[in-house]
Amino acid sequence: MNTHKNETDLDLGLFYAAVINQAPDIILVLDEDLHFVQVNDQACMQFGYSREELKRLRVRDVEGLMDENRIQQLVGEIMQKGVAQFESIGIRKDRTRFPVEIKACFIDAGENRYLVAFGRDISDRKEAERTLQNEKTITEALVNHFPESIYFKDRQSRLTRVNVKLMADLGVDSLEQIIGKTDIDLFGEEFGSRTIAVEKHIIETGEPSIGLVESRELGNGEINWTLSTKVPLIDPEGRIIGIAGVSREINEIKRTEEQLRIKENQLSVASKIAGLGYWEYNVETGIYTFNDHFYQVFRTSVEEVGTYQMTPAEYVARFLHPDDYHIVADEIKLALASDEQDYYSQLEHRILFPNGETGYIVVRYFVVKDNHGRPIRIFGANQDITERKLAEKAIEDSEAQLSVAAQIAKLGYWEYDESDNLFTFNDQLYAIFKTTAGEMGGYRMSPEKYAETFLPPEEQDIVAKEVKMARESPLPEYHRYLEHRIIYATGETGYAGVRFFTVKDKSGANYKTIGVTQDITERKLAEMALRDTEFSLQKAFEIAAIGPCKYSIKFDRYEWTQRALDVIGFKNEEIPEKFGGFLKYVHPDDVEHIISEVKKANITGVFDVENRIFINGRMKWIRFKSELEYNEDGKPLNSVGIVQDITDRKLAENELMRYRDHLEQLVRQRTAQLEDTNKDLEAFAYSISHDLRAPLRHINGFANILGRMMNDHPTAGKYIDLINSSSTRMGTMIDGLLHFSRLGRQTIDKSEVDLNSLISEIIVQFKPDLEHRRIEWKIDQLPKVNGDPNLLKIAFENLISNAIKYTRKEEKAVIEIGSGDKGNSTVFIRDNGVGFDMAYADKLFGVFQRLHNEEEFEGTGIGLANVQQIIRKHGGAIRADGALNEGAVFYVTL
């Protein structure tokens, strides 16, 4: 046998040689002794050899995994199957390694046989696989170990998945106790119906519910409060299939709020204590974002300011004292220019409150940087320190909160010094073991005492081996993480995660070991519960009667499992092998749909269809769900998935559909009845307002005649004047009622309305009647809105007229009309008049409701009712704020 053949034995032709050399993958040709006889350019580039150098090598010189036995096994496999495909490690000339996917086969060239290997560098693919696995692991850990309750529900608000925290909160041991149940099943009708209504709205509209506060009464009469966020779950086709929710108990917050309310009632000065106002600055966009507490620090609100976001220039102009501009500017420059990865600082400066007074705040903030050290965010908190004693109290509260946060983190730090063979611990490490340095005799301890005190006997060898590995490691810094059981000072058993590194001195001897220990007992217990959950899920899978199956696209052949056959109900003599044979069982109306879905699956790679079949003389609903497998050329080979009997579900859905259609019919009937009733009421009100006019005219006419007849009787004349005055006022009130009724029926003709022009036109109308009044008008730039110009003019005429009327006792009236920042659709009208008592604010917008005597201020008491009706017809809202003798302000949102 020729054991080393020359490359000229291969007459590939110039064309084929050019194709091989230009191929993007490695191509190697070896003789039967596994010497390289031909290589392409890609092989030379990947391995770092010249063509002549490679042809002097054997396969073991560039491959890092296979020994002689493995090579012979692969050769045998190729001879038996014709081809072998496997993954290996390539070794370059500089001894660096890279993962490679290899496909090899034999070719015959005359009397000689050669081994041809095709290789592809799969470094990127391997890295992508590792990244994907890490992300999946992180996602599972976040869900299952999230400190809040997480749950998923279907469209009927039935639980489909929960995390360990929710199970613990509900006091259940297994998922079977809660999966498939609604909140009505778990918490009763009153609470459950409220939550289901919210979830139904989310499913119908797709709008999430953020920051939903829910309450329910417990068996002992106490109220349990939760803060929830619920969002719609959307499948790949854009359909809402349920909801996902996160909830946490806020009972402590509610109790704190209740205590705060009690203290505020006892001490009026407590209402002036400022909280912390949090903010965020986006370096890239140059925008501040604030929360509600931030505005409370500045004694204003987001309603008055009009936005949660603003530029630095807007913030400076609105809130900063002019003399302290440079302090803030210099601090921002310093923070952004700092080389520190974790930059934290604080400063104090003066501010301006909305009333023009000067205050002081302390600002604490830290800078977040990206991987390149560039600042991207600044997070901070402002605190009102105008009253120093209140500020000191707030600082104490902050320190208490930080202490609690450190305890929650359950992190303990320690050092081990080999020179004296002693550990040094901090207080938090002792707290993990539920003891103190005082109880343990100090902060230092020998390894032997540590093991005897805190480690179970069976864990001591594990820890000892880790210590030995750290001591014997040749690395200058040895990093390690391990988990083991621990014994608390109470005698209970827990789990700890220990991360440490050993630092060596210049001579290579161990200098010091520094580590951090974390209590991971809750996580370990959660993992155990997760394993139990997975077992339960497997049982549920069996109970659901889901059967795996496979269809070979190439050979048009089904591979049924026994479970799949049981689910469908095929007998042995009925089992279809081909797609056409299966279609014979399908309901005729569903055949075209199945064929259409098969065509879509060839494009999308996913097949999911529900159809009817006839088995043993009865109809069943079956769901097939599978994904396609492809060959190297991208052609589909197999469809692998599951089959499920959904007959019961379909029957329930059909019954629910019939019930829904019946319910919709009832709603339409009831709506028609209500519309007829409303029309009758409007006609009645209109008729009454007209019919009352005739007797009023008679009363006025007869009273005038009677007055002329009794000119000589002064007392009778006085009473006749009262009759005339009362009937006139009654006529005015009827006119107002008629106008109110007409507004209710009037349709809206919307267009763009410039409120600046509208307000100016209204004020011009009033000026002839105000020649002897001192009125200072403060009118800001107002937005343009979409509305009915005539109706909006009536509304703002009433509001401005009220402001003029109720300030006439003031020597100098001040009427202010303004809005929030640009784009805000809230307009306010503020005056310094007599104001009103907020205890009666709910009566302001009622028909014929008055908060002041008619003798003092004229009017029918129907103007604000008209305003509210107009604003509501526009889909907006109106509210009022005021105090007796301190003026009033009306806010209109369109």
Side-chain angles (χ1 to χ4, degrees):
M1 178 184 293
N2 185 0
T3 60
H4 190 67
K5 303 175 182 61
N6 192 283
E7 64 180 271
T8 58
D9 292 340
L10 285 178
D11 187 13
L12 303 176
L14 294 176
F15 174 75
Y16 295 107
V19 172
I20 291 173
N21 275 327
Q22 295 302 319
D25 293 334
I26 299 169
I27 301 179
L28 305 168
V29 182
L30 302 90
D31 61 18
E32 293 182 349
D33 292 333
L34 303 182
H35 285 89
F36 297 123
V37 297
Q38 183 60 282
V39 298
N40 69 343
D41 292 344
Q42 184 66 18
C44 296
M45 184 184 72
Q46 285 286 355
F47 289 107
Y49 292 99
S50 68
R51 192 183 302 275
E52 289 72 19
E53 289 175 328
L54 263 180
K55 288 192 289 187
R56 290 197 295 268
L57 302 177
R58 297 185 65 195
V59 66
R60 292 186 60 185
D61 297 322
V62 296
E63 196 280 330
L65 289 183
M66 295 186 293
D67 54 17
E68 196 65 36
N69 290 334
R70 176 57 179 155
I71 293 174
Q72 293 305 319
Q73 290 176 1
L74 286 172
V75 170
E77 182 180 344
I78 297 172
M79 295 179 65
Q80 180 181 1
K81 299 181 179 180
V83 66
Q85 186 169 345
F86 57 93
E87 293 183 3
S88 184
I89 297 296
I91 303 177
R92 299 187 179 93
K93 183 178 181 180
D94 60 4
R95 312 317 293 168
T96 59
R97 297 179 174 229
F98 64 97
V100 61
E101 183 179 64
I102 299 174
K103 188 174 183 179
C105 64
F106 282 116
I107 62 171
D108 294 320
E111 297 178 355
N112 299 319
R113 169 174 285 188
Y114 296 90
L115 180 65
V116 180
F118 301 87
R120 177 174 295 176
D121 186 346
I122 57 173
S123 301
D124 293 341
R125 191 183 82 191
K126 287 294 184 181
E127 181 61 29
E129 290 174 354
R130 285 193 294 270
T131 300
L132 179 60
Q133 184 59 42
N134 289 339
E135 290 178 351
K136 289 175 65 177
T137 301
I138 292 171
T139 301
E140 286 296 322
L142 285 173
V143 171
N144 290 299
H145 306 306
F146 198 69
E148 314 298 350
S149 297
I150 300 178
Y151 46 88
F152 300 88
K153 297 183 178 182
D154 61 16
R155 289 182 63 88
Q156 286 72 45
S157 292
R158 297 175 300 207
L159 289 169
T160 60
R161 183 180 178 186
V162 301
N163 69 345
V164 175
K165 179 64 168 62
L166 181 57
M167 292 180 62
D169 289 345
L170 295 177
V172 298
D173 301 324
S174 65
L175 286 173
E176 286 80 0
Q177 297 175 264
I178 54 177
I179 294 301
K181 295 185 178 181
T182 68
D183 285 356
I184 293 178
D185 302 324
L186 297 173
F187 306 115
E189 178 69 29
E190 181 179 354
F191 175 77
S193 60
R194 295 200 307 268
T195 61
I196 290 176
V198 173
E199 293 161 2
K200 181 179 179 182
H201 178 76
I202 295 172
I203 291 173
E204 291 177 348
T205 64
E207 298 176 356
S209 177
I210 309 297
L212 175 64
V213 178
E214 300 173 315
S215 65
R216 62 184 176 90
E217 185 173 351
L218 304 179
N220 58 6
E222 295 183 357
I223 301 297
N224 185 67
W225 294 89
T226 55
L227 180 66
S228 303
T229 292
K230 301 180 181 181
V231 298
L233 285 176
I234 303 176
D235 65 10
E237 297 181 1
R239 297 174 299 190
I240 297 176
I241 59 175
I243 68 162
V246 179
S247 299
R248 66 183 177 95
E249 291 186 352
I250 56 172
N251 294 319
E252 289 299 325
I253 295 175
K254 286 295 182 179
R255 282 193 286 268
T256 301
E257 291 176 351
E258 181 63 25
Q259 293 173 358
L260 181 60
R261 283 193 293 270
I262 294 173
K263 291 180 180 179
E264 287 175 344
N265 291 333
Q266 295 173 343
L267 301 172
S268 60
V269 70
S271 62
K272 299 179 182 179
I273 298 177
L276 288 174
Y278 296 98
W279 54 269
E280 171 188 345
Y281 177 67
N282 187 318
V283 178
E284 297 176 352
T285 62
I287 295 295
Y288 281 106
T289 301
F290 309 128
N291 71 348
D292 289 319
H293 292 294
F294 175 88
Y295 286 122
Q296 291 177 8
V297 169
F298 289 92
R299 301 179 187 177
T300 182
S301 66
V302 68
E303 288 82 10
E304 294 185 1
V305 176
T307 180
Y308 284 104
Q309 294 183 326
M310 63 178 62
T311 64
E314 292 170 331
Y315 169 77
V316 167
R318 184 181 290 272
F319 295 122
L320 287 192
H321 193 285
D323 295 340
D324 285 359
Y325 287 175
H326 67 284
I327 298 177
V328 178
D330 292 344
E331 187 70 24
I332 293 176
K333 291 179 181 178
L334 182 64
L336 296 179
S338 172
D339 294 331
E340 298 181 28
Q341 184 62 31
D342 298 318
Y343 184 85
Y344 171 85
S345 185
Q346 71 177 49
L347 75 156
E348 297 180 2
H349 63 81
R350 285 172 290 178
I351 61 173
L352 293 177
F353 294 121
N355 61 3
E357 296 179 357
T358 299
Y360 292 82
I361 61 170
V362 59
V363 183
R364 298 180 177 86
Y365 68 95
F366 64 92
V367 181
V368 177
K369 300 184 178 181
D370 61 16
N371 295 333
H372 303 289
R374 294 174 299 200
I376 57 176
R377 293 284 195 280
I378 302 178
F379 294 94
N382 292 358
Q383 187 175 20
D384 186 354
I385 58 171
T386 306
E387 300 181 16
R388 176 58 64 179
K389 289 189 179 294
L390 296 180
E392 291 173 352
K393 178 63 170 61
I395 293 174
E396 291 175 1
D397 293 342
S398 299
E399 292 174 347
Q401 293 170 0
L402 290 174
S403 175
V404 171
Q407 296 175 15
I408 293 173
K410 298 182 179 179
L411 288 175
Y413 299 93
W414 54 268
E415 293 183 5
Y416 172 71
D417 194 331
E418 190 149 326
S419 63
D420 56 13
N421 191 34
L422 287 176
F423 282 110
T424 301
F425 303 140
N426 72 345
D427 288 321
Q428 188 56 40
L429 185 68
Y430 280 127
I432 289 177
F433 291 104
K434 300 181 180 180
T435 185
T436 63
E439 293 176 352
M440 299 306 300
Y443 290 97
R444 310 199 74 190
M445 182 183 296
S446 67
E448 293 77 15
K449 184 178 179 182
Y450 170 79
E452 177 184 349
T453 306
F454 299 122
L455 296 182
E458 60 272 20
E459 300 287 331
Q460 294 179 11
D461 290 340
I462 297 176
V463 177
K465 289 179 181 178
E466 290 289 338
V467 173
K468 182 179 179 182
M469 289 171 60
R471 288 178 173 175
E472 296 176 354
S473 171
L475 299 174
E477 288 190 4
Y478 178 81
H479 295 259
R480 186 68 172 163
Y481 176 77
L482 72 151
E483 297 178 357
H484 60 79
R485 286 188 298 155
I486 58 175
I487 299 175
Y488 297 122
T490 59
E492 300 171 302
T493 300
Y495 293 86
V498 183
R499 191 177 303 276
F500 66 92
F501 66 94
T502 298
V503 181
K504 299 181 181 293
D505 59 21
K506 294 182 180 179
S507 66
N510 291 332
Y511 167 64
K512 185 176 289 187
T513 300
I514 302 172
V516 58
T517 298
Q518 184 177 22
D519 189 339
I520 60 171
T521 303
E522 292 183 0
R523 195 196 81 196
K524 281 293 186 180
L525 294 177
E527 289 174 355
M528 297 175 186
L530 179 60
R531 286 193 291 271
D532 294 340
T533 299
E534 291 173 348
F535 175 77
S536 300
L537 288 175
Q538 180 62 29
K539 287 295 183 182
F541 187 80
E542 296 175 2
I543 295 172
I546 296 175
C549 62
K550 179 179 179 181
Y551 172 71
S552 173
I553 299 173
K554 181 177 181 180
F555 299 106
D556 185 21
R557 181 180 302 158
Y558 283 103
E559 296 179 15
W560 303 98
T561 63
Q562 186 58 47
R563 180 176 294 278
L565 295 174
D566 294 339
V567 168
I568 299 176
F570 283 131
K571 296 180 180 179
N572 291 334
E573 64 274 12
E574 298 174 337
I575 301 174
E577 293 185 358
K578 297 181 178 294
F579 181 64
F582 173 76
L583 289 179
K584 294 179 181 179
Y585 294 94
V586 176
H587 192 289
D589 295 342
D590 294 347
V591 172
E592 185 177 347
H593 175 61
I594 292 178
I595 295 174
S596 174
E597 290 300 317
V598 169
K599 294 179 181 178
K600 290 181 182 178
N602 289 332
I603 300 174
T604 64
V606 178
F607 180 72
D608 190 354
V609 66
E610 298 177 354
N611 63 271
R612 294 163 289 182
I613 62 173
F614 289 99
I615 298 292
N616 301 326
R618 80 181 186 94
M619 189 189 76
K620 298 176 68 174
W621 276 94
I622 297 296
R623 181 190 184 189
F624 280 94
K625 184 173 184 180
S626 60
E627 295 184 359
L628 299 188
E629 295 179 341
Y630 302 88
N631 62 11
E632 294 178 351
D633 299 327
K635 295 182 179 179
L637 291 178
N638 303 306
S639 177
V640 180
I642 58 97
V643 59
Q644 185 179 18
D645 185 350
I646 59 171
T647 304
D648 292 340
R649 194 197 81 194
K650 282 293 184 179
L651 292 175
E653 288 177 354
N654 292 335
E655 182 64 26
L656 182 60
M657 184 68 70
R658 287 193 294 269
Y659 176 76
R660 188 184 66 183
D661 292 341
H662 175 65
L663 184 60
E664 289 179 351
Q665 179 62 28
L666 292 177
V667 170
R668 285 193 292 271
Q669 293 175 356
R670 181 57 178 161
T671 300
Q673 293 172 358
L674 289 175
E675 289 177 351
D676 292 340
T677 301
N678 285 335
K679 290 178 180 178
D680 291 341
L681 289 174
E682 289 181 0
F684 175 75
Y686 189 80
S687 174
I688 288 297
S689 62
H690 277 73
D691 294 345
L692 285 177
R693 290 180 177 276
L696 281 177
R697 287 195 296 270
H698 294 161
I699 292 173
N700 277 330
F702 290 134
N704 289 331
I705 294 172
L706 186 59
R708 288 194 296 271
M709 295 173 62
M710 301 186 70
N711 283 332
D712 297 333
H713 201 299
T715 304
K718 176 181 177 182
Y719 291 126
I720 291 172
D721 289 340
L722 288 175
I723 292 173
N724 281 327
S725 174
S726 298
S727 61
T728 300
R729 171 163 173 72
M730 187 173 181
T732 303
M733 294 176 69
I734 290 173
D735 289 339
L737 181 61
L738 179 60
H739 182 62
F740 184 76
S741 175
R742 287 171 178 168
L743 282 178
R745 299 190 304 274
Q746 185 170 339
T747 59
I748 293 181
D749 185 12
K750 286 189 175 183
S751 62
E752 186 179 72
V753 179
D754 186 348
L755 292 183
N756 296 287
S757 301
L758 183 68
I759 297 299
S760 298
E761 180 182 344
I762 293 171
I763 292 176
V764 168
Q765 294 175 0
F766 284 115
K767 280 191 175 179
D769 300 327
L770 305 176
E771 294 181 355
H772 303 293
R773 291 279 306 275
R774 289 184 60 197
I775 299 180
E776 179 183 355
W777 296 93
K778 295 182 179 180
I779 303 176
D780 294 339
Q781 185 68 23
L782 302 175
K784 294 180 179 180
V785 298
N786 188 29
D788 188 307
N790 295 325
L791 291 180
L792 290 180
K793 183 177 181 181
I794 293 173
F796 282 104
E797 278 180 346
N798 274 281
L799 293 174
I800 295 174
S801 174
N802 277 358
I804 293 172
K805 180 186 355 179
Y806 292 112
T807 57
R808 68 187 180 196
K809 293 184 177 182
E810 300 296 325
E811 182 178 350
K812 178 182 179 182
V814 178
I815 300 176
E816 183 178 359
I817 305 174
S819 176
D821 287 348
K822 186 177 181 181
N824 191 288
S825 58
T826 297
V827 177
F828 64 85
I829 295 92
R830 180 183 288 112
D831 64 68
N832 65 336
V834 296
F836 61 89
D837 189 342
M838 284 295 291
Y840 304 102
D842 57 333
K843 296 184 178 181
L844 275 177
F845 302 101
V847 178
F848 301 139
Q849 295 290 336
R850 295 178 53 85
L851 302 186
H852 300 280
N853 293 330
E854 182 183 355
E855 294 79 6
E856 189 178 10
F857 295 102
E858 71 283 352
T860 62
I862 206 168
L864 289 180
N866 285 332
V867 174
Q868 184 183 60
Q869 185 169 221
I870 291 171
I871 300 305
R872 285 182 175 176
K873 288 175 87 59
H874 282 76
I878 182 170
R879 64 182 180 87
D881 191 8
L884 283 176
N885 301 317
E886 294 183 12
V889 57
F890 288 82
Y891 297 94
V892 176
T893 301
L894 294 172

